[in-house]
Amino acid sequence: MGRAPRLRLALLGLAGVLTALAGLAASQGPALPAHPVSTTTPTSFLLQPIANTTPNAAQLQRGQALTITGDCMSCHIRDGGQPFAGGLGLNTPFGVIYTANITSDRTTGIGDWTSDQFYNAMHNGIGAQGENLYPAFPYPWFTRASRADDDAILAYLKTTPAVSYRPPANRLPFPLNIRFMVKGWNLLFFRPHDFQADPGQSADWNRGAYLVTGLGHCGACHSPLNFFGAASVDRALHGGTLDNWVAPDLTGNARTGLGGWSLGDITEFLQTGRNFRAGAGGDMGEVVSYSTSLMNDRDRQAIAVYLKSLAASPDAAAQSVDTGAMQRGEAIYSDACSSCHLENGFGQPRYFPPLSHDAMLQQADPTGLEHLILAGGRVGPTATRPSPLTMPSFAWKLTDDEIADVSTYIRNSWGNQAAPVPASKVRDMRRRLGLRTIHYTENSGDHE
């Protein structure tokens, strides 16, 4: 055989070996990304230090802290997007509203906004071009923020990296897609006003009230909404529903609210996303990760002082529970839930929440519990609790009737008391979550 044929055979052999090695590498794991992966997380972005030698450092540091307090990151970042670039679709009862770009970009962000324009948006719900903003932007709460705080927030946002990005158009039906309609809503439900301190209360209480009812906009989620999407004034912080979750009662109700929580329980929850009684799941997980865990101790204490002062919401009338549902639910609980939450419902506090006297489980609306059982959930990481905790989805394993029975059992055991859960409500939640067709995911539990 001549040199040329031998060379061709050698090259073919080498090509075969390389192909085999490539196939083996592909079978061992996913390919490396084609571009460098950024190490900047939303949390590290929010905590980037502002040196005292920076011009106007005091105002910028104040604005950074207030931006954290307002939880701007949770809404103004989308999956795969840049911090504060917006584009997150907010599912409202009326359609999808996409959050704005609030980076320093002068064309698509707020880099060209004046302090008067920003204050007008925060205080009056009016955009830079004089247009009405939809109240999905929580100006009914932000209106209480002081002018100095608004100016500090804008100054800080103008230091963030400019991102050229335009969010998609809102998906609202006619006539709600006409912003002029918001004028009527404002006429009925909104009055711009500054925060008024109560001289009869402590400095902590007033600071907490300013944060909870203002920049923290807790009532935007934790208050029931009327037919027009306005938060109830008479039932402020009595609990609300949004995007197939429940934001629990924050009043002094001992069963559904914070009546049984101490000041320390509240501050620990705000700092770590978990305590002896509960874990922060759903949207509240992001609130803790991007806002309350990054606040200073004084502000967390002030929030706790204010919340503990709230009068208890009224208890719902007791309802009878079917004995058969309780017996079936107990059997399902023992099989599917007790390995983490234990047979006595005590759980493993700060890891797997205790179910006894759990406020979220006893809400009048079981939406949050149904969502959690069907789709699973996650307690987000914080600096002091860096490991996220995950509850698996049981949509693949349990039928609607079984979830209704185990929910009824959990809501009425170990000292809990709440209305039974009908299978029809579980069925509707399964439909809304797109889980009617079984599809396994990493959170699908212990299937084989």
Side-chain angles (χ1 to χ4, degrees):
M1 183 181 293
R3 296 177 64 184
R6 285 199 298 268
L7 180 60
R8 283 197 295 270
L9 286 173
L11 290 175
L12 286 172
L14 179 60
V17 171
L18 291 175
T19 301
L21 290 174
L24 178 62
S27 68
Q28 296 300 309
L32 292 174
H35 54 81
V37 177
S38 172
T39 58
T40 301
T41 65
T43 301
S44 63
F45 183 96
L46 290 167
L47 293 178
Q48 289 178 354
I50 298 172
N52 291 333
T53 55
T54 304
N56 204 27
Q59 186 186 43
L60 295 179
Q61 291 165 350
R62 176 180 181 179
Q64 181 183 41
L66 293 167
T67 300
I68 289 170
T69 298
D71 192 31
C72 305
M73 183 65 77
S74 289
C75 286
H76 291 277
I77 187 171
R78 67 194 185 282
D79 287 343
Q82 297 298 310
F84 297 143
L88 178 68
L90 303 178
N91 296 311
T92 77
F94 312 105
V96 179
I97 296 176
Y98 290 92
T99 57
N101 182 341
I102 58 171
T103 72
S104 61
D105 188 78
R106 291 181 176 275
T107 304
T108 63
I110 60 173
D112 261 353
W113 283 36
T114 66
S115 59
D116 286 342
Q117 288 173 322
F118 189 76
Y119 177 74
N120 203 22
M122 295 283 284
H123 193 72
N124 299 309
I126 303 297
Q129 306 305 316
E131 76 279 15
N132 284 98
L133 302 176
Y134 288 106
F137 172 67
Y139 63 85
W141 287 267
F142 290 168
T143 188
R144 294 177 176 85
S146 69
R147 177 62 187 260
D149 280 354
D150 286 343
D151 288 350
I153 293 171
L154 178 62
Y156 166 71
L157 291 176
K158 285 192 172 188
T159 69
T160 62
V163 178
S164 180
Y165 170 76
R166 292 188 187 278
N170 296 325
R171 291 189 279 127
L172 296 170
F174 178 84
L176 299 179
N177 59 343
I178 302 174
R179 289 182 178 270
F180 184 82
M181 300 293 294
V182 180
K183 291 185 181 294
W185 190 94
N186 287 341
L187 186 64
L188 292 171
F189 305 114
F190 175 59
R191 296 291 182 274
H193 61 282
D194 295 324
F195 174 76
Q196 299 296 322
D198 185 342
Q201 296 286 353
S202 67
D204 272 352
W205 186 95
N206 277 296
R207 177 64 178 173
Y210 178 74
L211 297 175
V212 169
T213 67
L215 285 175
H217 61 286
C218 304
C221 295
H222 289 273
S223 296
L225 305 180
N226 64 20
F227 178 79
F228 299 97
S232 170
V233 176
D234 296 335
R235 294 187 293 157
L237 302 179
H238 285 200
T241 58
L242 72 160
D243 200 15
N244 299 317
W245 285 106
V246 163
D249 185 346
L250 297 182
T251 73
N253 189 301
R255 187 168 57 82
T256 62
L258 300 177
W261 291 37
S262 68
L263 291 175
D265 289 335
I266 297 174
T267 56
E268 182 183 2
F269 183 85
L270 295 176
Q271 183 175 16
T272 70
R274 60 197 79 168
N275 60 19
F276 189 84
R277 300 172 178 274
D283 291 340
M284 189 64 199
E286 289 191 351
V287 174
V288 172
S289 292
Y290 301 150
S291 179
T292 61
S293 69
L294 309 180
M295 290 180 181
N296 61 55
D297 291 339
R298 180 206 162 198
D299 280 351
R300 282 192 291 263
Q301 177 73 11
I303 290 171
V305 168
Y306 176 73
L307 291 178
K308 285 298 292 181
S309 75
L310 299 177
S313 62
D315 279 318
Q319 297 187 31
S320 60
V321 180
D322 178 65
T323 302
M326 290 292 288
Q327 291 173 340
R328 294 189 299 271
E330 182 178 17
I332 297 165
Y333 175 86
S334 182
D335 174 66
C337 312
S338 62
S339 59
C340 291
H341 296 284
L342 307 186
E343 290 286 355
N344 60 6
F346 190 75
Q348 300 179 51
R350 297 182 178 86
Y351 294 95
F352 306 121
L355 305 183
S356 174
H357 302 287
D358 185 292
M360 193 278 283
L361 298 180
Q362 299 181 82
Q363 300 299 304
D365 186 341
T367 291
L369 177 59
E370 304 317 309
H371 190 150
L372 191 60
I373 295 175
L374 282 165
R378 180 176 181 268
V379 176
T382 61
T384 54
R385 296 288 189 277
S387 298
L389 301 175
T390 301
M391 174 173 162
S393 160
F394 286 91
W396 67 276
K397 183 174 183 177
L398 301 178
T399 67
D400 297 336
D401 288 324
E402 289 170 335
I403 291 176
D405 287 341
V406 74
S407 298
T408 297
Y409 173 74
I410 291 170
R411 283 162 60 86
N412 291 278
S413 298
W414 316 297
N416 296 340
Q417 178 185 318
V421 177
S424 60
K425 190 167 185 66
V426 180
R427 192 174 304 114
D428 180 60
M429 176 59 69
R430 189 188 292 267
R431 175 190 60 79
R432 283 186 278 155
L433 294 176
L435 294 172
R436 287 187 294 184
T437 300
I438 294 178
H439 50 89
Y440 298 133
T441 69
E442 292 180 356
N443 287 340
S444 291
D446 56 352
H447 69 278
E448 296 182 355

